[in-house]
Amino acid sequence: MNIDSIVRVNITKEVSGVTARDLNTIAILSAHTVFEDDYRVYTNPLDMLEDGFLVTDYAYIAANRIFSTNAIKASKVIVGQKATADSYVESIAKLQALNNQWVFLITDAASDADKEAIADLIETLEKIYIVSDSNPVTLTNATTDLGSKLAAKNYNNTIVFYTNQSTIKAPEAALAGRFAPFAVGSITWNYKELVGLIADSYTSTQAAQLKAKNVNFYTSVEGNDVVMGGTVSAGELITTVHGILWLKVRIREAVFGLLISKSKINYTNAGITLIEAALRDVLSIAVSNDILTDESPITVTVPNALNLSSAKRASHVVSDIKFRARLAGAILYVDGIEGTVYE
Protein backbone atom coordinates (compact mmCIF):
# COMPACT_ATOMS: atom_id res chain seq x y z
CA MET A 1 0.00 0.00 0.00
CA ASN A 2 1.23 3.46 -0.88
CA ILE A 3 1.40 5.99 1.97
CA ASP A 4 -0.30 8.53 -0.29
CA SER A 5 -3.52 6.62 0.24
CA ILE A 6 -3.27 7.41 3.95
CA VAL A 7 -1.55 10.80 4.07
CA ARG A 8 -1.67 13.05 1.06
CA VAL A 9 0.43 16.22 0.99
CA ASN A 10 0.14 18.98 -1.56
CA ILE A 11 2.50 21.97 -1.41
CA THR A 12 1.83 25.10 -3.38
CA LYS A 13 4.47 27.78 -3.74
CA GLU A 14 3.00 31.10 -2.69
CA VAL A 15 3.44 33.90 -5.19
CA SER A 16 5.68 36.75 -4.18
CA GLY A 17 4.18 39.84 -2.59
CA VAL A 18 3.68 43.32 -3.94
CA THR A 19 6.66 44.88 -5.67
CA ALA A 20 8.03 47.66 -3.50
CA ARG A 21 7.94 51.01 -5.23
CA ASP A 22 11.25 52.78 -5.75
CA LEU A 23 11.39 55.88 -3.55
CA ASN A 24 14.95 57.01 -4.30
CA THR A 25 15.43 57.00 -8.07
CA ILE A 26 15.76 60.26 -10.01
CA ALA A 27 14.11 60.84 -13.38
CA ILE A 28 15.68 63.27 -15.84
CA LEU A 29 13.35 64.75 -18.44
CA SER A 30 14.70 66.86 -21.27
CA ALA A 31 14.14 67.69 -24.91
CA HIS A 32 16.39 65.57 -27.12
CA THR A 33 16.31 63.23 -30.12
CA VAL A 34 19.06 60.84 -29.08
CA PHE A 35 16.78 57.80 -28.94
CA GLU A 36 13.29 56.97 -30.13
CA ASP A 37 12.34 55.17 -26.92
CA ASP A 38 10.13 56.98 -24.46
CA TYR A 39 12.82 56.53 -21.82
CA ARG A 40 15.98 54.62 -21.02
CA VAL A 41 17.56 53.55 -17.74
CA TYR A 42 21.24 54.33 -17.20
CA THR A 43 23.65 53.21 -14.51
CA ASN A 44 26.61 55.13 -15.91
CA PRO A 45 26.74 58.45 -17.79
CA LEU A 46 29.33 56.99 -20.15
CA ASP A 47 26.63 54.76 -21.56
CA MET A 48 24.74 57.89 -22.49
CA LEU A 49 27.67 59.10 -24.57
CA GLU A 50 27.71 55.77 -26.38
CA ASP A 51 24.03 56.21 -27.17
CA GLY A 52 24.72 59.58 -28.77
CA PHE A 53 24.30 62.18 -26.04
CA LEU A 54 26.78 65.05 -26.16
CA VAL A 55 28.74 66.21 -23.13
CA THR A 56 26.92 69.53 -23.49
CA ASP A 57 23.44 67.98 -23.35
CA TYR A 58 21.34 68.67 -20.27
CA ALA A 59 20.53 64.98 -19.71
CA TYR A 60 24.19 63.95 -19.75
CA ILE A 61 25.32 66.82 -17.53
CA ALA A 62 22.51 66.06 -15.08
CA ALA A 63 23.31 62.36 -14.95
CA ASN A 64 27.01 63.06 -14.55
CA ARG A 65 26.31 65.36 -11.60
CA ILE A 66 24.03 62.74 -10.02
CA PHE A 67 26.63 59.97 -10.29
CA SER A 68 29.57 62.20 -9.26
CA THR A 69 28.61 62.53 -5.59
CA ASN A 70 31.22 61.57 -3.01
CA ALA A 71 28.54 60.02 -0.78
CA ILE A 72 26.08 57.18 -1.46
CA LYS A 73 25.65 57.00 -5.22
CA ALA A 74 22.43 56.50 -7.14
CA SER A 75 22.14 53.03 -8.61
CA LYS A 76 20.46 54.33 -11.76
CA VAL A 77 18.68 57.24 -13.39
CA ILE A 78 15.71 57.21 -15.71
CA VAL A 79 16.17 59.48 -18.71
CA GLY A 80 12.94 60.53 -20.36
CA GLN A 81 12.29 62.45 -23.53
CA LYS A 82 10.20 65.57 -23.95
CA ALA A 83 8.71 65.43 -27.41
CA THR A 84 8.60 68.72 -29.31
CA ALA A 85 4.83 68.56 -29.65
CA ASP A 86 4.27 67.85 -25.96
CA SER A 87 4.36 70.15 -22.97
CA TYR A 88 6.44 69.23 -19.96
CA VAL A 89 3.28 68.27 -18.10
CA GLU A 90 2.22 65.94 -20.91
CA SER A 91 5.69 64.40 -21.10
CA ILE A 92 5.81 63.77 -17.35
CA ALA A 93 2.40 62.09 -17.45
CA LYS A 94 3.58 59.84 -20.29
CA LEU A 95 6.78 58.92 -18.45
CA GLN A 96 4.88 58.08 -15.29
CA ALA A 97 2.44 55.88 -17.21
CA LEU A 98 5.32 53.94 -18.75
CA ASN A 99 7.64 53.76 -15.75
CA ASN A 100 6.58 54.79 -12.26
CA GLN A 101 9.71 53.53 -10.52
CA TRP A 102 11.05 56.98 -9.69
CA VAL A 103 10.17 59.65 -7.17
CA PHE A 104 12.46 62.63 -7.81
CA LEU A 105 12.21 64.65 -11.02
CA ILE A 106 14.53 67.18 -12.63
CA THR A 107 13.98 68.75 -16.03
CA ASP A 108 15.57 71.16 -18.48
CA ALA A 109 12.57 73.50 -18.30
CA ALA A 110 13.89 77.04 -18.60
CA SER A 111 10.91 79.35 -18.15
CA ASP A 112 9.26 80.03 -14.81
CA ALA A 113 5.91 79.31 -16.46
CA ASP A 114 6.98 75.77 -17.38
CA LYS A 115 8.57 75.23 -13.97
CA GLU A 116 5.42 76.37 -12.18
CA ALA A 117 3.26 74.16 -14.39
CA ILE A 118 5.45 71.18 -13.52
CA ALA A 119 5.19 72.02 -9.83
CA ASP A 120 1.41 72.26 -10.17
CA LEU A 121 1.32 68.73 -11.59
CA ILE A 122 3.81 67.21 -9.17
CA GLU A 123 1.83 68.51 -6.20
CA THR A 124 -0.97 66.15 -7.26
CA LEU A 125 1.37 63.14 -7.51
CA GLU A 126 3.48 61.12 -5.13
CA LYS A 127 6.62 62.69 -6.60
CA ILE A 128 9.13 65.40 -5.64
CA TYR A 129 10.24 68.01 -8.16
CA ILE A 130 13.69 69.58 -7.76
CA VAL A 131 14.07 72.81 -9.73
CA SER A 132 16.82 75.39 -9.94
CA ASP A 133 16.43 79.16 -10.06
CA SER A 134 18.90 81.95 -10.76
CA ASN A 135 16.58 84.93 -11.04
CA PRO A 136 18.18 87.86 -9.14
CA VAL A 137 14.70 88.98 -8.09
CA THR A 138 14.57 85.95 -5.81
CA LEU A 139 17.21 87.62 -3.64
CA THR A 140 14.91 90.57 -2.96
CA ASN A 141 11.63 90.99 -1.11
CA ALA A 142 9.68 90.75 -4.39
CA THR A 143 6.91 88.16 -4.64
CA THR A 144 6.94 87.60 -8.41
CA ASP A 145 9.81 85.10 -8.49
CA LEU A 146 9.37 81.33 -8.71
CA GLY A 147 10.32 80.68 -5.10
CA SER A 148 7.78 83.19 -3.81
CA LYS A 149 5.01 81.82 -6.01
CA LEU A 150 5.55 78.21 -4.96
CA ALA A 151 5.90 79.17 -1.30
CA ALA A 152 2.61 81.07 -1.55
CA LYS A 153 1.00 77.92 -2.91
CA ASN A 154 2.35 75.93 0.07
CA TYR A 155 3.72 73.24 -2.20
CA ASN A 156 5.09 70.22 -0.34
CA ASN A 157 6.34 68.34 -3.40
CA THR A 158 8.72 70.92 -4.87
CA ILE A 159 12.26 71.81 -3.84
CA VAL A 160 13.64 75.11 -5.18
CA PHE A 161 17.43 75.34 -5.37
CA TYR A 162 18.95 78.76 -6.00
CA THR A 163 22.31 79.62 -7.56
CA ASN A 164 23.50 83.05 -8.63
CA GLN A 165 25.57 81.43 -11.39
CA SER A 166 23.05 81.54 -14.21
CA THR A 167 25.33 79.86 -16.77
CA ILE A 168 25.60 76.60 -14.82
CA LYS A 169 23.56 73.80 -16.34
CA ALA A 170 21.61 71.34 -14.16
CA PRO A 171 22.78 72.48 -10.70
CA GLU A 172 19.67 70.83 -9.24
CA ALA A 173 21.11 67.47 -10.32
CA ALA A 174 24.02 67.90 -7.90
CA LEU A 175 21.54 68.45 -5.06
CA ALA A 176 19.45 65.45 -6.10
CA GLY A 177 22.47 63.18 -6.49
CA ARG A 178 23.86 64.12 -3.08
CA PHE A 179 20.72 63.38 -1.05
CA ALA A 180 18.15 61.31 -2.97
CA PRO A 181 20.05 57.96 -2.87
CA PHE A 182 20.09 57.83 0.95
CA ALA A 183 17.60 55.64 2.77
CA VAL A 184 14.44 57.59 3.47
CA GLY A 185 14.65 59.19 6.90
CA SER A 186 18.41 58.87 7.25
CA ILE A 187 19.54 62.33 6.15
CA THR A 188 18.52 65.98 6.18
CA TRP A 189 19.02 67.86 2.94
CA ASN A 190 21.47 70.44 4.21
CA TYR A 191 24.93 71.08 5.70
CA LYS A 192 26.55 68.87 3.05
CA GLU A 193 29.03 69.60 0.26
CA LEU A 194 28.03 69.27 -3.38
CA VAL A 195 30.47 67.89 -5.95
CA GLY A 196 30.99 70.00 -9.07
CA LEU A 197 29.39 73.21 -7.83
CA ILE A 198 31.10 76.33 -6.54
CA ALA A 199 29.55 77.76 -3.40
CA ASP A 200 27.84 81.13 -3.88
CA SER A 201 28.33 84.21 -1.73
CA TYR A 202 25.30 86.03 -0.34
CA THR A 203 24.80 89.00 1.92
CA SER A 204 22.96 88.36 5.14
CA THR A 205 19.93 90.13 3.66
CA GLN A 206 19.96 87.96 0.53
CA ALA A 207 20.32 84.77 2.58
CA ALA A 208 17.42 85.88 4.74
CA GLN A 209 15.26 86.41 1.64
CA LEU A 210 16.07 82.91 0.37
CA LYS A 211 15.21 81.39 3.73
CA ALA A 212 11.98 83.39 3.94
CA LYS A 213 10.94 81.99 0.56
CA ASN A 214 11.93 78.43 1.53
CA VAL A 215 14.54 78.38 -1.21
CA ASN A 216 17.60 76.18 -0.74
CA PHE A 217 21.06 77.43 -1.66
CA TYR A 218 24.74 76.47 -1.63
CA THR A 219 27.17 78.72 0.21
CA SER A 220 30.22 78.76 2.43
CA VAL A 221 29.91 78.84 6.22
CA GLU A 222 33.17 79.38 8.08
CA GLY A 223 35.07 77.93 5.14
CA ASN A 224 32.76 74.93 4.73
CA ASP A 225 30.79 74.71 1.50
CA VAL A 226 27.33 73.46 2.47
CA VAL A 227 23.71 73.33 1.36
CA MET A 228 21.45 75.57 3.39
CA GLY A 229 17.70 75.17 3.79
CA GLY A 230 16.65 71.55 3.54
CA THR A 231 13.02 72.48 2.94
CA VAL A 232 10.30 72.19 0.33
CA SER A 233 8.46 75.27 -0.87
CA ALA A 234 5.85 75.01 1.90
CA GLY A 235 8.61 75.20 4.50
CA GLU A 236 8.46 71.60 5.70
CA LEU A 237 11.69 69.62 5.90
CA ILE A 238 12.42 67.58 2.78
CA THR A 239 13.26 64.59 4.96
CA THR A 240 9.83 64.84 6.60
CA VAL A 241 7.97 65.05 3.28
CA HIS A 242 9.97 62.11 1.94
CA GLY A 243 9.34 60.15 5.13
CA ILE A 244 5.59 60.71 5.05
CA LEU A 245 5.55 59.60 1.40
CA TRP A 246 7.47 56.46 2.44
CA LEU A 247 4.87 55.73 5.13
CA LYS A 248 1.95 56.18 2.76
CA VAL A 249 3.43 53.98 0.04
CA ARG A 250 4.76 51.23 2.31
CA ILE A 251 1.52 50.96 4.33
CA ARG A 252 -0.47 50.66 1.13
CA GLU A 253 1.92 48.00 -0.19
CA ALA A 254 1.84 46.04 3.08
CA VAL A 255 -1.94 45.91 3.28
CA PHE A 256 -2.36 45.11 -0.40
CA GLY A 257 0.33 42.44 -0.08
CA LEU A 258 -1.68 40.90 2.74
CA LEU A 259 -4.83 40.87 0.61
CA ILE A 260 -3.17 39.12 -2.32
CA SER A 261 -1.22 36.64 -0.18
CA LYS A 262 -4.24 35.32 1.68
CA SER A 263 -6.96 33.20 0.12
CA LYS A 264 -9.43 35.03 2.34
CA ILE A 265 -9.41 37.46 5.23
CA ASN A 266 -12.46 36.99 7.38
CA TYR A 267 -14.49 40.02 8.41
CA THR A 268 -13.84 39.20 12.06
CA ASN A 269 -11.65 40.62 14.78
CA ALA A 270 -9.03 38.04 13.83
CA GLY A 271 -9.11 39.27 10.22
CA ILE A 272 -8.87 42.90 11.24
CA THR A 273 -5.94 41.99 13.51
CA LEU A 274 -4.04 40.77 10.43
CA ILE A 275 -4.38 44.21 8.87
CA GLU A 276 -3.35 45.84 12.14
CA ALA A 277 -0.25 43.64 12.27
CA ALA A 278 0.75 44.62 8.73
CA LEU A 279 0.37 48.28 9.67
CA ARG A 280 2.39 47.87 12.86
CA ASP A 281 5.18 46.15 10.93
CA VAL A 282 5.54 49.18 8.67
CA LEU A 283 5.47 51.57 11.62
CA SER A 284 8.18 49.54 13.31
CA ILE A 285 10.38 49.77 10.21
CA ALA A 286 9.71 53.51 10.10
CA VAL A 287 11.11 53.76 13.62
CA SER A 288 14.20 51.79 12.61
CA ASN A 289 14.63 54.09 9.60
CA ASP A 290 14.43 57.24 11.78
CA ILE A 291 11.22 58.41 10.15
CA LEU A 292 9.25 57.92 13.36
CA THR A 293 10.26 57.66 17.00
CA ASP A 294 8.86 55.34 19.63
CA GLU A 295 9.98 57.57 22.50
CA SER A 296 6.31 58.52 22.54
CA PRO A 297 4.07 55.43 22.33
CA ILE A 298 2.74 54.66 18.86
CA THR A 299 -0.99 53.97 19.04
CA VAL A 300 -3.06 52.00 16.57
CA THR A 301 -6.83 51.70 16.81
CA VAL A 302 -9.02 49.35 14.78
CA PRO A 303 -12.77 48.73 14.80
CA ASN A 304 -14.37 45.90 16.74
CA ALA A 305 -16.03 43.65 14.18
CA LEU A 306 -18.70 42.67 16.70
CA ASN A 307 -19.84 46.30 16.99
CA LEU A 308 -20.26 46.88 13.27
CA SER A 309 -23.64 46.84 11.58
CA SER A 310 -24.68 44.11 9.18
CA ALA A 311 -24.71 46.67 6.39
CA LYS A 312 -21.11 47.68 7.15
CA ARG A 313 -19.94 44.07 7.17
CA ALA A 314 -21.84 43.42 3.95
CA SER A 315 -19.92 46.24 2.26
CA HIS A 316 -16.71 44.20 2.74
CA VAL A 317 -14.89 47.44 3.54
CA VAL A 318 -12.92 47.92 6.75
CA SER A 319 -12.49 51.55 7.76
CA ASP A 320 -11.61 53.61 10.84
CA ILE A 321 -8.14 52.09 11.15
CA LYS A 322 -6.04 54.86 12.66
CA PHE A 323 -2.55 55.34 14.02
CA ARG A 324 -0.79 58.14 15.82
CA ALA A 325 2.99 58.38 15.85
CA ARG A 326 5.58 61.07 16.48
CA LEU A 327 8.00 61.99 13.71
CA ALA A 328 11.68 61.55 14.55
CA GLY A 329 12.26 65.06 13.21
CA ALA A 330 15.70 66.61 12.94
CA ILE A 331 17.80 69.17 14.82
CA LEU A 332 19.03 71.83 12.39
CA TYR A 333 19.96 74.70 14.69
CA VAL A 334 21.32 75.02 18.21
CA ASP A 335 20.35 78.16 20.10
CA GLY A 336 20.91 79.06 23.72
CA ILE A 337 23.98 77.17 24.89
CA GLU A 338 24.96 78.85 28.13
CA GLY A 339 27.92 78.19 30.32
CA THR A 340 29.92 79.55 33.18
CA VAL A 341 33.68 79.39 33.50
CA TYR A 342 35.69 80.08 36.62
CA GLU A 343 39.22 79.85 38.01
Side-chain angles (χ1 to χ4, degrees):
M1 178 180 291
N2 194 313
I3 193 174
D4 283 353
S5 63
I6 302 174
V7 180
R8 179 167 296 183
V9 178
N10 291 312
I11 298 177
T12 301
K13 183 179 182 296
E14 187 176 275
V15 296
S16 59
V18 176
T19 300
R21 183 175 149 198
D22 190 319
L23 294 177
N24 296 94
T25 293
I26 305 162
I28 303 169
L29 180 69
S30 65
H32 66 81
T33 56
V34 173
F35 50 72
E36 295 182 358
D37 309 346
D38 294 293
Y39 71 89
R40 287 187 182 177
V41 179
Y42 291 99
T43 59
N44 191 315
L46 294 179
D47 295 335
M48 297 176 67
L49 297 179
E50 292 182 2
D51 279 353
F53 281 99
L54 302 177
V55 294
T56 53
D57 287 338
Y58 174 90
Y60 170 78
I61 293 173
N64 195 52
R65 290 194 190 283
I66 290 169
F67 287 118
S68 294
T69 179
N70 55 11
I72 295 177
K73 295 183 184 296
S75 60
K76 62 184 176 183
V77 294
I78 295 173
V79 177
Q81 183 184 73
K82 178 194 173 296
T84 304
D86 292 339
S87 68
Y88 281 96
V89 168
E90 291 169 333
S91 297
I92 293 166
K94 287 182 179 179
L95 177 61
Q96 183 184 19
L98 294 167
N99 186 331
N100 197 36
Q101 290 297 311
W102 54 275
V103 70
F104 295 99
L105 173 70
I106 61 174
T107 77
D108 65 345
S111 72
D112 280 1
D114 280 336
K115 294 175 180 178
E116 188 172 357
I118 294 170
D120 290 342
L121 172 66
I122 294 299
E123 194 65 18
T124 68
L125 307 175
E126 293 176 344
K127 306 291 184 185
I128 297 175
Y129 176 39
I130 306 176
V131 56
S132 63
D133 175 38
S134 59
N135 184 354
V137 175
T138 307
L139 300 175
T140 71
N141 61 2
T143 59
T144 57
D145 56 278
L146 181 67
S148 293
K149 290 180 179 179
L150 299 183
K153 290 184 175 182
N154 288 312
Y155 276 176
N156 276 302
N157 292 354
T158 296
I159 301 166
V160 180
F161 180 56
Y162 189 85
T163 175
N164 58 23
Q165 303 171 58
S166 59
T167 59
I168 293 181
K169 189 176 288 188
E172 65 275 11
L175 182 73
R178 178 61 180 83
F179 296 103
F182 279 78
V184 182
S186 67
I187 193 169
T188 56
W189 289 51
N190 50 10
Y191 301 146
K192 301 297 183 288
E193 183 180 11
L194 299 180
V195 173
L197 295 187
I198 297 174
D200 295 319
S201 296
Y202 300 101
T203 66
S204 59
T205 300
Q206 290 173 333
Q209 290 294 342
L210 292 174
K211 292 178 182 179
K213 297 176 181 182
N214 300 322
V215 172
N216 303 272
F217 56 99
Y218 189 50
T219 192
S220 182
V221 178
E222 297 291 334
N224 299 289
D225 295 344
V226 294
V227 175
M228 296 294 293
T231 64
V232 296
S233 291
E236 184 59 84
L237 291 182
I238 299 168
T239 187
T240 298
V241 171
H242 201 191
I244 291 173
L245 175 59
W246 184 96
L247 275 170
K248 183 177 181 180
V249 171
R250 295 297 181 246
I251 290 172
R252 187 168 58 214
E253 290 172 348
V255 175
F256 184 57
L258 178 67
L259 292 172
I260 67 173
S261 67
K262 299 295 183 182
S263 299
K264 178 189 176 187
I265 298 178
N266 292 333
Y267 207 138
T268 61
N269 283 330
I272 293 174
T273 297
L274 292 175
I275 299 173
E276 178 185 356
L279 170 59
R280 287 187 180 277
D281 284 345
V282 176
L283 297 177
S284 178
I285 295 171
V287 171
S288 298
N289 290 357
D290 294 326
I291 298 171
L292 301 176
T293 177
D294 57 3
E295 289 184 349
S296 296
I298 296 175
T299 61
V300 178
T301 59
V302 298
N304 186 331
L306 299 178
N307 295 335
L308 301 177
S309 67
S310 297
K312 179 63 176 178
R313 287 165 53 85
S315 72
H316 312 294
V317 176
V318 176
S319 54
D320 294 325
I321 298 175
K322 301 176 182 179
F323 73 88
R324 182 175 175 81
R326 184 182 295 277
L327 290 165
I331 296 173
L332 300 184
Y333 306 98
V334 179
D335 180 23
I337 295 178
E338 298 180 4
T340 301
V341 296
Y342 59 91
E343 294 182 351

